[in-house]
Amino acid sequence: MSLLAGKTVLVSGVGAGLGHQVAAAVVRDGGNAVLGARTGANLAKSAAEIDPDGARTAYRETDITDEAQCGALAALARERFGGIDALVQVAAWDSYFGGVEDADFATWQSVIDVNLLGTLRMTRACLPALKEGGGGSVVFIGTQSAVAAPSQVRQAAYAASKGALTSAMYSLARELGPYRIRVNTVLPGWMWGPPVQAFVRFTAQTEGVPEAEVLGRLTERMALPELATDGDVADAAVFLTSDRARAVTGQSLLVNAGELMR
């Protein structure tokens, strides 16, 4: 039997990278995937690649800072597939760089509104369907930088917002446990996909060195001699949505090829 046979998983933040890989893994493993993101063209492209005949996907443009749009995406899942069994919350703002000394705290507030409050908005929108179904799973995509800052880039606002989200996870796991709703977080490190590929290309061009040299600086810290991929992180998230993880809640799972061990 497929891992997610008969289950419907809502995936936010579906673009060219991790969100697409999560949705693809859901369909691959027998589930229905309901896709949300701000850009309709990305959603249409992703759905067509994942599920050409459209039988097991649905999508709607969704900005997770808008509570009504979160509710509309959850409603689409119920209308199309009869309910929601799991949420994988990928949508995030990770493109603001810098530390505290050069911080624009208005931008920090916006980052927190997306990464922390937006995630909680989307979660709350899914709760009625999860409860009606007798429980399910919520998976937050966090970041290793929330627990160990990388030396190559400074993303203090992103790390702080994701750290707050991981802390919120513990409270949600307790609050929602009586409804048999599990809440967990996946913490990726360096993840080979479009953003890291762009970083490697840019760094190599800026420094005038081969891309392999830049990539080698990243992988030399890994226990496994390679970066995890978007697909690896997606597989971890899908495992946590499945019944194979029925006794796992309130946990943070590092997917980082062994760069950081805890």
Side-chain angles (χ1 to χ4, degrees):
M1 182 178 292
S2 298
L3 192 65
L4 297 181
K7 294 188 181 296
T8 296
V9 181
L10 192 152
V11 185
S12 74
V14 175
L18 179 58
H20 172 81
Q21 293 296 332
V22 171
V26 169
V27 172
R28 177 201 67 199
D29 288 344
N32 304 311
V34 179
L35 288 56
R38 292 183 301 167
T39 305
N42 289 344
L43 290 168
K45 183 175 186 293
S46 185
E49 291 177 2
I50 293 167
D51 180 36
D53 64 8
R56 290 168 52 201
T57 56
Y59 59 88
R60 176 166 288 163
E61 290 184 27
T62 306
D63 182 342
I64 62 170
T65 66
D66 185 315
E67 195 150 8
Q69 292 187 39
C70 292
L73 184 62
L76 173 64
R78 299 171 85 175
E79 292 162 8
R80 179 68 187 278
F81 298 115
I84 299 171
D85 298 289
L87 163 67
V88 181
Q89 175 59 36
V90 182
W93 184 352
D94 62 358
S95 58
Y96 175 64
F97 295 87
V100 170
E101 287 187 301
D102 57 353
D104 173 0
F105 286 122
T107 304
W108 274 60
Q109 287 181 321
S110 296
V111 171
I112 290 168
D113 190 35
V114 174
N115 295 349
L116 174 61
L117 299 180
T119 295
L120 298 180
R121 289 185 193 97
M122 193 68 252
T123 301
R124 184 162 68 178
C126 294
L127 289 182
L130 288 167
K131 289 179 181 179
E132 288 172 11
S137 174
V138 175
V139 180
F140 299 151
I141 302 297
T143 175
Q144 180 178 290
S145 65
V147 294
S151 58
Q152 290 84 0
V153 295
R154 185 174 294 136
Q155 289 179 290
Y158 177 65
S161 65
K162 290 292 192 174
L165 181 61
T166 299
S167 294
M169 173 199 70
Y170 300 121
S171 294
L172 266 65
R174 286 288 185 190
E175 177 184 353
L176 303 180
Y179 304 110
R180 297 190 180 278
I181 298 172
R182 299 177 289 106
V183 188
N184 294 286
T185 300
V186 176
L187 301 177
W190 288 94
M191 186 170 54
W192 190 245
V196 172
Q197 289 167 349
F199 169 81
V200 169
R201 283 195 302 269
F202 175 79
T203 303
Q205 291 168 3
T206 300
E207 298 181 4
V209 299
E211 291 182 15
E213 179 178 326
V214 179
L215 183 59
R217 298 174 199 165
L218 302 179
T219 58
E220 68 182 3
R221 298 192 305 275
M222 313 299 177
L224 300 172
E226 60 183 330
L227 297 187
T229 67
D230 285 357
D232 295 325
V233 176
D235 285 344
V238 165
F239 164 72
L240 289 171
T241 68
S242 76
D243 291 340
R244 300 278 177 87
R246 63 181 296 274
V248 180
T249 195
Q251 304 301 317
S252 296
L253 176 61
L254 285 159
V255 182
N256 62 2
E259 179 185 14
L260 174 70
M261 301 183 190
R262 303 178 75 198

